[in-house]
């Protein structure tokens, strides 16, 4: 390719759409990734079942406090950095380029793991629901591949189209959970008890487990900065959306978990959760209201999963765009459509999803792994493997990234003293970083439990090992770039700064292609 051709492609590539998203849109994107109905139906019951504690509602509030501390420095740093790579750019500018590249690969692995893992639960839920209601048996993976097509179409269109679709779905999720909360307080077989709000229920032996299982419910909260380049006013829109999202999510989850305990009864919620799992919400609604309402909520549960799938797909596409723009990944990923969508990254994420889903489908069905591993429970194969393995891996990686980003805030503002308080630039990010790092260690220590394993096996080490391996490979790749392509290395984490992209990068590409020193 000639230098002239490279210049033409750079000049005419429109980049991400600008001034498109306001506070409501970004807030909805963040909440969609957290999947409120999925968390209340699945996450809350799992937390009660595994921890055996009534402290789950207060656990959500404690995690919200930790993430608010994280957001203090995170959003302050966001006023100086507007980059679709978010964590990648923050870590690169705060802790150094090698750690930034390492973090970028952890982000790619984590967001892809979260997104593809959710496909397993999505396909399972549709397959089971249709068989129960229509007697129509269908492979779970058929619905996954159809969903991948829909997600891909939305992913290559304007981001505000995704925001509108997700906005409708999230609104319906909230209505469904609020209805469940009302019914729970109406039923209250043991009265409206505050037993689940007793601090003694939280600050006991189960505290670590409550935090480990609860933090996954907030994954996606940090994604506001990913849309910074598409925000109407990045320096104000993203911080407001981030604070608003964590407040809404934290309070909503805590209140709904308390309502759950009241609706089933504090003395029964742990045992009922252990016996029924995520179906507990829908069984309860069938008993208290009607089959029709329970079926509508099941459908909304499925659309909740779809909303999360779209949100994580968008996150991966924008990470690939940012990394391609700065030369960390192949430059082809930097291309966007006329509407400003990162179509190259979107297509890449779609291909990744297809390959991984096909691998699980072939292994489980064609090669008989589902029957061999689970016997009579083989129908749960996509949930017990694909969903459980990948989403827990993704959550672990994102917690590690948030810990790195918290410490990056301190490093960033140490180079830029003045203007902001020590609370914003040192104290809050340090406390958040220590707590998040501790949470990451607890996740690793409890990984067999998170995977539902009685004894550790290969997956216990391979899955979190993927996160560590991605980080190490990223570090090594950064040092290769520093030696082989120092001009590109200098742009890492700085892709949207004046002069950091465009003319300089065109010159770099031209130098490399003409063989000049």
């Amino acid at each position: 390719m000639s230098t002239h051709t490279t210049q033409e492609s750079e000049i005419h590539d429109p980049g991400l759409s600008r001034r498109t998203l306001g506070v409501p849109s970004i807030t909805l994107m963040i909440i969609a990734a957290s999947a409120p109905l999925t968390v209340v139906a699945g996450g809350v019951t799992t937390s009660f079942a595994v921890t055996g504690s009534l402290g789950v509602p207060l656990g959500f509030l404690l995690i919200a406090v930790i993430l608010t501390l994280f957001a203090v420095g995170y959003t302050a740093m966001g006023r100086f950095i507007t980059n679709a790579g978010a964590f990648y750019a923050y870590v690169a500018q705060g802790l150094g380029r090698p750690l930034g590249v390492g973090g970028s690969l952890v982000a790619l692995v984590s967001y892809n793991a979260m997104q593809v893992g959710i496909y397993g639960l999505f396909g399972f839920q549709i397959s089971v629901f249709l068989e129960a209601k229509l007697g129509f048996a269908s492979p779970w993976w058929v619905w996954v591949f159809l969903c991948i097509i829909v997600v891909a179409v939305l992913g290559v269109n304007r981001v505000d189209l995704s925001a509108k679709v997700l906005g409708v779905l999230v609104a319906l999720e909230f209505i469904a959970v609020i209805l469940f909360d009302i019914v729970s307080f109406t039923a209250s077989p043991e009265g409206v008890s505050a037993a689940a709000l007793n601090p003694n229920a939280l600050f006991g032996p189960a505290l670590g487990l409550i935090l480990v299982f609860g933090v996954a419910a907030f994954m996606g909260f940090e994604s506001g900065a990913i849309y910074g380049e598409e925000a109407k006013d990045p320096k104000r829109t993203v911080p407001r959306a981030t604070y608003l999202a964590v407040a809404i999510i934290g309070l909503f989850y805590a209140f709904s978990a308390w309502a759950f305990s009241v609706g089933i009864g504090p003395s029964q919620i742990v045992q009922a959760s252990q016996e029924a799992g995520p179906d507990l919400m829908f069984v309860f609604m069938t008993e208290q209201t009607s089959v029709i309402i329970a079926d509508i909520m099941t459908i909304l549960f499925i659309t909740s999963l779809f909303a999360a799938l779209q949100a994580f797909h968008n996150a991966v596409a924008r990470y690939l765009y940012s990394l391609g723009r700065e030369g960390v990944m192949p430059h082809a990923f930097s291309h966007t459509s006329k509407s400003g969508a990162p179509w190259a990254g979107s297509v890449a994420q779609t291909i990744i999803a297809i390959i991984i889903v096909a691998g699980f489908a072939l292994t489980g069905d064609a090669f008989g792994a589902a029957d061999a591993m689970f016997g009579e429970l083989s129908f749960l194969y996509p949930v017990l493997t694909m969903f459980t393995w990948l989403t827990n891996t993704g959550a672990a990686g994102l917690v590690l990234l948030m810990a790195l980003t918290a410490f990056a805030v301190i490093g960033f503002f140490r180079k830029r003293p003045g203007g902001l308080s020590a609370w914003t630039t040192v104290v809050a990010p340090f406390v958040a970083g220590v707590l998040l790092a501790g949470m990451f260690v607890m996740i690793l220590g409890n990984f067999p439990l998170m995977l539902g394993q009685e004894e550790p096996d290969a997956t216990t080490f391979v899955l979190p090992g993927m996160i560590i391996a991605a980080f190490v490979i990223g570090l090594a790749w950064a040092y290769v770039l520093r030696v082989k392509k120092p001009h590109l290395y200098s742009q890492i984490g700085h892709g949207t700064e004046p002069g950091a992209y465009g003319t300089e990068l065109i010159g770099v590409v031209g130098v490399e292609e003409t063989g000049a020193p």
Side-chain angles (χ1 to χ4, degrees), residues 420-492:
L420 294 174
S421 67
W423 164 256
T424 300
T425 60
V426 179
V427 179
F430 178 77
V431 173
V434 170
L435 291 173
L436 288 165
M439 206 176 296
F440 176 69
V441 173
M442 285 192 290
I443 289 174
L444 295 183
N446 289 282
F447 216 71
L449 191 60
M450 295 176 72
L451 300 184
Q453 300 169 335
E454 294 183 3
E455 295 291 338
D457 60 25
T459 57
T460 310
F461 306 99
V462 171
L463 293 172
M466 291 166 51
I467 299 297
I468 305 302
F471 186 69
V472 172
I473 291 170
L475 285 174
W477 179 236
Y479 287 115
V480 169
L481 288 176
R482 186 169 72 174
V483 173
K484 300 290 186 181
K485 300 181 179 180
H487 291 20
L488 289 181
Y489 179 81
S490 68
Q491 308 302 331
I492 289 174

Side-chain angles (χ1 to χ4, degrees), residues 153-219:
V153 170
L154 289 174
V156 297
N157 279 282
R158 283 177 58 90
V159 69
D160 53 342
L161 174 60
S162 289
K164 291 172 183 176
V165 172
L166 296 182
V168 172
L169 297 180
V170 169
L172 292 174
E173 285 185 64
F174 272 93
I175 292 172
V177 177
I178 290 170
L179 175 61
F180 168 75
D181 293 345
I182 293 172
V183 173
S184 293
F185 281 111
T186 303
S188 56
E190 299 175 21
V192 181
S193 170
L197 301 180
N198 186 337
N200 292 330
L202 173 64
F203 295 102
L207 175 61
L209 282 179
I210 291 172
L211 294 179
V212 165
F213 279 87
V215 73
F218 289 80
M219 292 302 95

